[in-house]
Structure formats: structure tokens, C-alpha cells
Amino acid sequence: MNSKTKDCLSKTYRDWLWVILVLAAFLGGYSTYFILEHHSSSPEPATQSVQHHEKPKIELQTASQRRIDVPLLTPWLAPIVWDGTFDEDILNEQFQGRNITIGVTIFAIKKYVIFLKLFLETAEKHFMVGYKVNYYVFTDRPNDVPKIPLQEGRKIITLVVQNYSRWQDISMHRMEMISNYCHQLFFKDVDYLVCLDVDMKFNDHVGVEMLSDLVGTLHPGFYGASRETFTYERRPKSQAYIPRGKGDYYYMGGFFGGKVQQVYKLTKACHEAMLIDKSNRIEAVWHDESHLNKYLFLHKPTKVLPPEYMWDKQLLGWPAFLRKMRMLAVPKNHAKIRNK
Amino acid sequence: STSRSLIKLKGRGIPFSHFLPSFLPSFLPSFLPSFLPSFLPSFLPSFLPSFLPSFLPSFLPSLLPSLLPFLPSFLPCLLLSFLPSFLPSFLPSFLPSFLPSFPPSLPPSLLPSFRPSFPPSLLPSFLPSFLPSFLPSFLPSFLPSFSFFLPSSFLSSPFFFFFFIFSQYQEGHISCTVLISHSTYFILEHHSSSPEPATQRRIDVPLLTPWLAPIVWDGTFDEDILNEQFQGRNITIGVTIFAIKKYVIFLKLFLETAEKHFMVGYKVNYYVFTDRPNDVPKIPLQEGRKIITLVVQNYSRWQDISMHRMEMISNYCHQLFFKDVDYLVCLDVDMKFNDHVGVEMLSDLVGTLHPGFYGASRETFTYERRPKSQAYIPRGKGDYYYMGGFFGGKVQQVYKLTKACHEAMLIDKSNRIEAVWHDESHLNKYLFLHKPTKVLPPEYMWDKQLLGWPAFLRKMRMLAVPKNHAKIRNK
């Protein structure tokens, strides 16, 4: 009797178990179709990026964080612009009326010109769509700048600059070149400047939510790491020195921006600091990135961009807090590209 | 009796359907209408990711006693139950199921009420006991992150925290996040690159508006960093208060408490608009602070006095405020300061959430609903209900606001309509069209007698002074 019961028991249980497992797997696999917002009585199929379709406005005061797995604010009350924390429509409403132009500075010196095509093509799809954008391409090979079909209101301005033999110098002199061109070009032509690395591609929406007076981006390799591991410049002799126990975040040298006046101040200060360091015969451990971190430590940014805005999928994978990868590093062969 | 029925079922091999009521709703919301029709409606409103953190402890304890004998066979399905991302929906559908009078569908307005007053005492008592034993067994890949997580959290807050794990399927990638559920106190240290010591993060309240303006809750900012930012700029803050007719009696308490709590260490100009300059009390002031009395006309109706504040502020902007101050803060005078109010509140344009409407649904906001008025906000629109007695910002922005509100009120007056809440309605209309750059939570304006002391309120920075409306107004 006992064994019979046991068999009976386990068989029916097993069947039920399978039913539950299959259903749970089904629900898990198609869970995106069943996530409902408030007030909607029937499930709607969610699109890839949920914010693009008409969502009923959720109760703002009662909706607690839509993101609780990540920090939403810096201690000086600057928002960290995670996906899910902002409403694109409201932000577009705020910015559209102001007739702004966004300037993008990219440096394609020597062999880096090969990154331009992918950068510009993906930027046309994802970067500030619907706004006026000026791409300022700093290069020493103006003939290698590709001709990309651009949307209306967007243009590429090629600026011929000198190259340097060392890649570190090229990287560091970006600060000087940006601050130089501010008076000639940027103050007049654009409202916001975004200074990017060129060996990147856009993968998802990057819009006006990132615009603010002074914007820094969290370095993806250091997100979640403790302050002690940040590769700040630790030698007091350098202008970029940040003592142990100090510093808020480790910002990425390849993505910063803000209003032209603020970016001008930043690039000028970094360039002057680098000149002082040069005269003292010291080079900061991460070159312009170290100086950028020093500046943003002393002059806190008004908005901070999370690692969504600059990610490396090969090196860092796809952790759970990353809902979107807005910009990705393009894999490159360092030895081949640099110093040629 | 439960155990007896279990034994009976064992023999007959009808296992599942009898156990399902205690946990089935958690797995199979809209799929099995045949099983549990009475549970189904409760799922739909409760598919709210925001409830995610708080579901797990609530159903597992109820699960365990009845399932204990069968636990091994259920473990795989319990495993999978963590994985789908609709799990967040459990809590609301569960708590009512414990109660005899479980409503067939939870109206959305009920749901938010769980959050602030969630009794922490329920959950911590069992969570730590089962959670660690669950996690290592099925989520070995999380263990490293957990072990990093656990010791510090355990050490720092033994009772008032709990962890939850859920995973999402993303394009074939299975990734997992460690979440901390909302509770009154917790320390979030994992995945945070914030400076040490990490400021306590608040997850029981919204920290940002949808247009990325911070809501300045206690615990979200570091006073020292903000003071560093502002001290170098040599700013002066102007405060406008209107003490017309009998309201002069509120001045003494207001100014005395302001001296203790408001912008301590900064230059402050108190602009007292009054029709009784002799009744303005002489208060000893800190260095760099002064009281400027401005004599203005009074009106017979208190509604007119309230509404004309906009006009008076915008008038004095050109004469005084543009030159003398950098930031303006426009306050009601029948208030007192109770706790620190500092530079964290300064921004281009600042509005304060009305304490009586915090947590309420948008439909209950007392916006002006008549299209004829300039302050009209249609149903379904509007972000927050702002308080008429606490707004501010840079002088230029406050000037634009007061000028626009005053002009709107003039238009309304010519159309012989008065907005339902007078200047507050017009303020709400303006802040709906021109979103503030910072929003102050109800901490900055609270009424303890009327509203008590809910859990989300860690500090009461300004409190309403009880007053006898009939005696004070219109005299």
C-alpha cells in the first residue's frame, strides 16, 4: 500500500511539477509581454525599448524608484541618468522649444580615421535624433573623412590639426584643441558640446536627457568598485593628484560634455594642468583622463551618465544593472592602431 | 486539520490543486482561470515591478509549513519561480489572500499605501533565517556578489534589511540582480560607487522626477559637499513673507526659528511685506542677515491678500531683488522652522510637494478644472500638486513665475472667475508648463496635527503653526 501510494504520489507530483515548470519557463521567457503598467487592464506586447510606445502616465508621487538597484543621485544632487528614470517625451518638450545645437568633437588622428564611418552612421541613427548636430571631426587626414548621408539639420565640419607621434600626446592634446576652437567656433555655433572618443559606436538612444551644464560619465570598468581601486593620479607632484580617501567617482576620459562655457573651462584647466605637469616632467598615469577626474572632483558635474553611455561588451559582459548599452567600444587592435 | 487533509491527499494522489491556493497565484496569473478564478483579478493590478522587493518573504513563510514535507519535489519549481520577471507582482496579491476579506481586485490607489507603512517587523523575523539557506543552493553564480554583500550588511544593520534576488530573461541572456527591498533603514553598498561612507539611499520614496529634477529627500545629499559648492559663490538668499493684518503675530516665531535653521552661515535678507510696520518684532539676527520691512496695502478678503503676493513679489523684483539677492524663497508666514533647511534646496526653479497630496493619485489633485480659468489643468494631466506657500529659485525664474501668475490672475479677474485655490492653482499651472529644476518633498512643509508622522518622513523641516482660521482671516 505504501509503495503504491508513493508511486502514485510521485508520479502525479512529477506531472504537476512538469506542468508548473513548463508554465513558469513559458512565463519567464515571454515575461516582457506580461509586464503591465498601472491602469492597463490587458497585457500589451512591450517593444524592445519600453519607453517608445504610449504608456499610461504612472502616478508620479506614489511610484517609488523605477530603479532601485542603482544609485539615482550623487551626494550633491546631480541625477545619474539611468534608463527608466526619465521620461523622454517631457524632456524633448523641454528642449525642442529652445532651438539648440549640439556639437560633437571627435578626434580621428592618423589611423583612427577608420572608426569614423561606423561612428557617424550609428550617430545618425541614435544620437540626438531630431535636433541640430554639428560633428566636429579633428583629423590630420581630411581626405579620409568619409562622406556619410546626414539627416536634416546635421553637418560634419572637418578641422585639420597636427598629429603627434605618441598616442598619449594625441589623447592629451585633445583638451588643448577643444579649448582653442571654443572661441573660434563653439561659442557661436553650438549650445552644448559633447566630447567623445571616436573608437565607439552608438547602439541605443542617446538624447537630450544627457544635456546639462557639466556632464561626466562613469567609467564602465570602475562602476561598483571601491574608491581605493580608482586609478587616480597618486603622485602629489602632478596637478592631477587626488589623495587616497578622496574622490567621488572615476569618470571616463572619452565622454564628457556640457554647456560650451563649462566645457571650455574644463578643457582649458586640464590643458593648463598638463602644461604644468610637462614642465615638471611628469605625465599623469592616465593622461587626460586623470586630469579630467581631478577637474570633476573639484568642480562637480551637474549630471552624471551611468556606464550605459559607454560600455565594452567584450571586456565586461552584460550585467543585470545594464538595461541598455547606448554606446559600445569598437574592438580594435591596439598595437596596429596606435603610433602609426 | 491542514496536516490531516494533507495526509488524506497523499493517499489519493491529488496533490497540487490543494496546495496551489497558498502559492499558485504567484506563478500562474492569467493562465489558469480554471484553477483559481477568485485570485485572478488580483494579479492584474499587481504586475507592478515596483513591488518586486517585498514579495519574497511574504509568501515563502506561508509556503513553508504546508510544503515542508514535499519540499524536495517542489524545489525545482520554486527555483524557477524566482526566475521570471513577473515575480514582482506577488506581494499585493498575497497579503490580501491572507486576510479573510480579500478583495477580488486591488484598486491601484490601495497599492501605494502598502509601501510607506510596510511593517518591517513582519519580514525581518523570517527573512534572514531562510534567505541565506535558499540562495547558495540555487544561485551559485550570485554567491560571490552575495558574500561581498552579506557581511557588511549583516554587520551594519542586523534587523532592518532584506535581500531579494530576481533574474530577468534578456534576449537569451540570463542575468541576475541583487536587490534590496524597501524598508525603513538599510545600507546599500553593493554596486555603488558613491563616496564612502555611502549616504543612506532612500528607496521608499521617489528620488527623481521624470524630467530628472532631484526630489531633495533627507538622506540623499551630503551637506558638506553642497556647502562647499555654495560657499565660494558668496550668495545672498532672499525670503519673502507676507504678514498682513493679524498675520503679524506669526512673525516672531517664524524669524526666530529661521535664525536657527534656515541657511545658517549664509547671507539672508528677510523681506517682510506688511501693512503694520510697527508690529514687526525686533529679532536678534546672526551676522550677514537682515530684515527689510516693505509696507504694502492690505485687502479685505484673505483670498485677495494671498493672490496679490504674486504681484507684490514681481513688482519688487526690479526694485530690490535683482540687485540684492541671488535666490528668492517665497514662504507662508504661518510656519515655523523645525529642522535644517539649507542650500540643498537652491536651484533655478523650486517647487514643494503639498503635504496633503503626497501619495495621492493625480485625479484627487485640486487643480483648477474649469477651462475658462487660466489655471486650468485638464484631467489626466499634471505631475504633482505643489504648495502655494513654498516656492523659489533664482530671482530671474521667480520673477517670471510671479509675473505670469499675476497676469493670469488678472485675466481671470476680467473673466470674473477665481481659481479654486487662488494663487496656488496658478502656481500649479505654471509649474506644470515650466517644470521645476528641483522639487522639495513634504519634509519642507508639513502639518503635524493634520497629517501625523508617517514612515517616509525622516525630518520635518518646516511645520504649520496651528491657527484659528476664523479669528485670523479677514481681520
Side-chain angles (χ1 to χ4, degrees):
Chain A
M1 173 60 181
N2 269 346
S3 59
K4 254 198 191 165
T5 325
K6 248 194 182 164
D7 286 335
C8 214
L9 199 71
S10 52
K11 191 169 182 294
T12 18
Y13 271 126
R14 244 185 289 132
D15 287 344
W16 276 111
L17 206 61
W18 277 114
V19 169
I20 299 267
L21 283 176
V22 166
L23 282 168
F26 173 72
L27 280 167
Y30 293 99
S31 58
T32 45
Y33 295 103
F34 298 116
I35 292 178
L36 303 171
E37 294 285 358
H38 293 241
H39 301 307
S40 67
S41 53
S42 59
E44 293 161 17
T47 53
Q48 180 93 4
S49 41
V50 186
Q51 283 160 342
H52 282 215
H53 69 260
E54 270 306 331
K55 286 195 302 190
K57 283 256 166 151
I58 55 178
E59 301 303 341
L60 297 173
Q61 287 183 173
T62 56
S64 295
Q65 275 73 281
R66 275 146 260 155
R67 297 292 300 268
I68 60 170
D69 53 330
V70 288
L72 295 185
L73 280 177
T74 65
W76 57 93
L77 293 173
I80 306 179
V81 189
W82 291 99
D83 178 56
T85 58
F86 57 91
D87 183 333
E88 267 178 56
D89 301 322
I90 298 183
L91 285 166
N92 277 327
E93 263 178 52
Q94 286 190 314
F95 278 91
Q96 282 290 7
R98 289 162 49 184
N99 196 24
I100 51 169
T101 310
I102 298 111
V104 185
T105 67
I106 33 181
F107 288 77
I109 312 276
K110 293 198 263 193
K111 276 209 164 177
Y112 276 73
V113 288
I114 58 171
F115 295 109
L116 277 174
K117 187 170 187 299
L118 185 61
F119 182 96
L120 293 168
E121 281 174 347
T122 51
E124 282 300 295
K125 279 198 261 192
H126 298 287
F127 182 73
M128 304 284 177
V129 176
Y131 292 89
K132 289 194 275 186
V133 174
N134 291 356
Y135 299 101
Y136 295 99
V137 180
F138 292 74
T139 181
D140 59 339
R141 301 180 187 182
N143 298 323
D144 291 340
V145 177
K147 302 271 182 291
I148 311 282
L150 298 176
Q151 301 279 335
E152 201 185 314
R154 300 160 87 99
K155 50 182 160 171
I156 299 179
I157 294 130
T158 310
L159 301 165
V160 185
V161 292
Q162 70 165 121
N163 64 32
Y164 294 86
S165 45
R166 293 174 67 233
W167 67 266
Q168 296 90 334
D169 284 321
I170 297 174
S171 182
M172 301 207 314
H173 277 271
R174 294 190 294 182
M175 292 290 187
E176 177 187 25
M177 294 181 200
I178 294 171
S179 59
N180 284 347
Y181 276 92
C182 275
H183 283 293
Q184 298 177 39
L185 278 180
F186 302 149
F187 278 127
K188 293 196 307 277
D189 291 352
V190 300
D191 304 289
Y192 291 91
L193 261 183
V194 182
C195 308
L196 294 170
D197 271 357
V198 73
D199 51 352
M200 296 272 154
K201 68 178 182 196
F202 289 86
N203 189 49
D204 209 323
H205 169 92
V206 174
V208 290
E209 71 279 354
M210 65 155 279
L211 297 179
S212 187
D213 284 9
L214 184 59
V215 181
T217 310
L218 301 180
H219 194 297
F222 292 93
Y223 178 71
S226 90
R227 191 195 293 167
E228 300 319 305
T229 64
F230 292 168
T231 54
Y232 291 144
E233 174 55 64
R234 298 296 190 186
R235 295 166 291 177
K237 193 174 166 197
S238 166
Q239 298 299 304
Y241 169 60
I242 297 180
R244 296 233 167 249
K246 294 248 180 256
D248 316 298
Y249 302 98
Y250 194 75
Y251 300 99
M252 179 92 184
F255 196 146
F256 61 91
K259 290 217 170 104
V260 184
Q261 178 66 27
Q262 302 300 323
V263 175
Y264 172 64
K265 283 202 228 170
L266 184 156
T267 50
K268 190 154 169 286
C270 287
H271 172 58
E272 287 169 357
M274 284 191 269
L275 287 178
I276 298 172
D277 267 10
K278 196 165 182 188
S279 70
N280 291 335
R281 284 189 233 186
I282 184 169
E283 192 174 273
V285 58
W286 282 104
H287 326 101
D288 50 309
E289 190 173 85
S290 306
H291 289 275
L292 176 79
N293 271 280
K294 180 66 185 273
Y295 185 86
L296 290 179
F297 167 62
L298 297 174
H299 309 79
K300 313 276 186 219
T302 56
K303 249 184 203 173
V304 171
L305 302 183
E308 292 173 357
Y309 285 81
M310 182 70 80
W311 194 252
D312 189 328
K313 202 167 170 185
Q314 277 75 21
L315 283 179
L316 303 161
W318 195 343
F321 63 82
L322 213 64
R323 288 191 186 179
K324 289 188 173 178
M325 298 190 204
R326 301 182 190 272
M327 278 193 87
L328 288 169
V330 172
K332 66 181 196 255
N333 183 330
H334 285 271
K336 275 177 68 183
I337 287 289
R338 289 176 170 169
N339 298 343
K340 285 223 166 69
Chain B
S1 77
T2 331
S3 51
R4 257 193 283 129
S5 60
L6 285 183
I7 293 167
K8 269 214 266 183
L9 293 170
K10 247 178 124 166
R12 273 188 264 145
I14 311 169
F16 248 65
S17 49
H18 292 266
F19 293 105
L20 291 176
S22 64
F23 64 88
L24 187 61
S26 63
F27 296 125
L28 305 165
S30 49
F31 273 62
L32 306 165
S34 57
F35 279 27
L36 301 161
S38 61
F39 283 93
L40 281 177
S42 69
F43 298 144
L44 301 175
S46 58
F47 264 77
L48 299 169
S50 63
F51 285 92
L52 171 63
S54 46
F55 73 93
L56 199 55
S58 68
F59 77 89
L60 282 175
S62 74
L63 211 52
L64 284 174
S66 60
L67 286 184
L68 228 36
F70 311 101
L71 202 55
S73 54
F74 287 172
L75 202 55
C77 77
L78 279 175
L79 257 171
L80 273 175
S81 77
F82 293 128
L83 302 179
S85 55
F86 57 83
L87 284 182
S89 63
F90 295 158
L91 177 61
S93 66
F94 264 96
L95 281 181
S97 71
F98 298 148
L99 310 169
S101 59
F102 147 66
S105 72
L106 286 170
S109 58
L110 203 60
L111 300 173
S113 66
F114 280 123
R115 212 174 300 107
S117 54
F118 204 110
S121 57
L122 267 184
L123 308 175
S125 57
F126 44 78
L127 192 58
S129 62
F130 68 77
L131 191 60
S133 64
F134 261 91
L135 296 172
S137 65
F138 60 78
L139 300 163
S141 59
F142 304 119
L143 204 51
S145 62
F146 244 86
S147 54
F148 164 74
F149 205 7
L150 275 170
S152 50
S153 307
F154 265 108
L155 285 173
S156 49
S157 53
F159 284 112
F160 300 111
F161 72 90
F162 21 95
F163 318 95
F164 296 96
I165 292 189
F166 84 101
S167 61
Q168 296 173 337
Y169 286 101
Q170 285 178 344
E171 309 267 290
H173 296 262
I174 299 176
S175 52
C176 298
T177 313
V178 176
L179 289 182
I180 297 189
S181 146
H182 50 264
S183 70
T184 356
Y185 307 101
F186 70 95
I187 309 259
L188 188 93
E189 280 176 302
H190 186 58
H191 275 316
S192 88
S193 40
S194 57
E196 299 141 37
T199 45
Q200 266 187 349
R201 210 77 46 65
R202 299 285 300 265
I203 62 170
D204 53 329
V205 288
L207 294 187
L208 279 177
T209 68
W211 58 92
L212 293 173
I215 306 179
V216 189
W217 290 99
D218 178 57
T220 60
F221 59 91
D222 183 333
E223 268 178 54
D224 300 322
I225 297 183
L226 287 165
N227 277 327
E228 262 180 53
Q229 286 190 316
F230 279 90
Q231 282 289 10
R233 291 160 49 180
N234 195 23
I235 51 168
T236 310
I237 298 110
V239 184
T240 66
I241 33 181
F242 288 77
I244 312 277
K245 293 197 264 196
K246 276 210 165 176
Y247 277 73
V248 288
I249 56 171
F250 294 108
L251 278 173
K252 187 168 188 297
L253 185 61
F254 182 97
L255 293 168
E256 281 175 347
T257 51
E259 283 299 296
K260 277 198 263 193
H261 297 288
F262 183 74
M263 304 285 177
V264 176
Y266 292 88
K267 288 195 276 186
V268 174
N269 291 358
Y270 300 100
Y271 295 99
V272 180
F273 293 74
T274 182
D275 59 339
R276 302 181 186 180
N278 300 322
D279 291 341
V280 177
K282 304 269 181 292
I283 312 282
L285 299 175
Q286 301 281 335
E287 198 185 316
R289 299 161 87 100
K290 49 183 162 172
I291 299 179
I292 294 129
T293 310
L294 302 164
V295 184
V296 293
Q297 71 165 118
N298 64 31
Y299 294 87
S300 45
R301 292 174 66 232
W302 67 265
Q303 296 90 333
D304 285 321
I305 296 175
S306 182
M307 302 207 311
H308 277 271
R309 292 190 295 181
M310 293 290 186
E311 177 188 26
M312 295 183 202
I313 295 171
S314 59
N315 284 350
Y316 275 93
C317 275
H318 282 293
Q319 297 177 39
L320 278 180
F321 301 150
F322 278 126
K323 293 196 307 277
D324 293 350
V325 299
D326 304 286
Y327 292 91
L328 260 184
V329 182
C330 308
L331 294 170
D332 272 356
V333 73
D334 50 353
M335 296 270 154
K336 67 179 183 195
F337 289 85
N338 190 48
D339 209 323
H340 168 90
V341 174
V343 289
E344 72 279 353
M345 65 155 278
L346 296 179
S347 186
D348 284 10
L349 182 59
V350 181
T352 310
L353 301 179
H354 195 298
F357 292 92
Y358 178 73
S361 90
R362 190 196 291 160
E363 302 316 306
T364 65
F365 292 169
T366 55
Y367 291 144
E368 174 54 65
R369 299 296 189 187
R370 294 167 290 177
K372 195 173 163 197
S373 166
Q374 298 298 305
Y376 169 59
I377 297 180
R379 294 231 170 250
K381 297 246 180 253
D383 317 296
Y384 301 98
Y385 193 75
Y386 300 99
M387 179 94 185
F390 197 145
F391 61 91
K394 288 213 169 109
V395 184
Q396 178 66 27
Q397 303 300 325
V398 175
Y399 172 64
K400 283 201 225 171
L401 184 156
T402 50
K403 189 155 170 286
C405 287
H406 172 57
E407 287 170 358
M409 284 190 269
L410 287 178
I411 297 171
D412 266 10
K413 195 166 181 184
S414 70
N415 290 335
R416 288 195 227 180
I417 184 169
E418 191 174 272
V420 57
W421 282 105
H422 325 104
D423 50 308
E424 189 173 85
S425 305
H426 289 275
L427 176 79
N428 272 281
K429 179 70 183 271
Y430 185 86
L431 290 179
F432 168 61
L433 297 174
H434 309 82
K435 316 271 186 223
T437 56
K438 251 186 201 167
V439 172
L440 302 182
E443 292 173 357
Y444 285 80
M445 181 70 80
W446 194 253
D447 190 328
K448 201 168 172 188
Q449 276 76 21
L450 283 179
L451 304 161
W453 196 342
F456 63 82
L457 213 65
R458 288 192 186 178
K459 287 191 175 180
M460 297 190 208
R461 301 182 190 274
M462 278 193 87
L463 289 169
V465 171
K467 67 181 195 256
N468 183 328
H469 284 270
K471 275 177 68 182
I472 287 292
R473 290 178 170 169
N474 296 342
K475 285 218 168 68

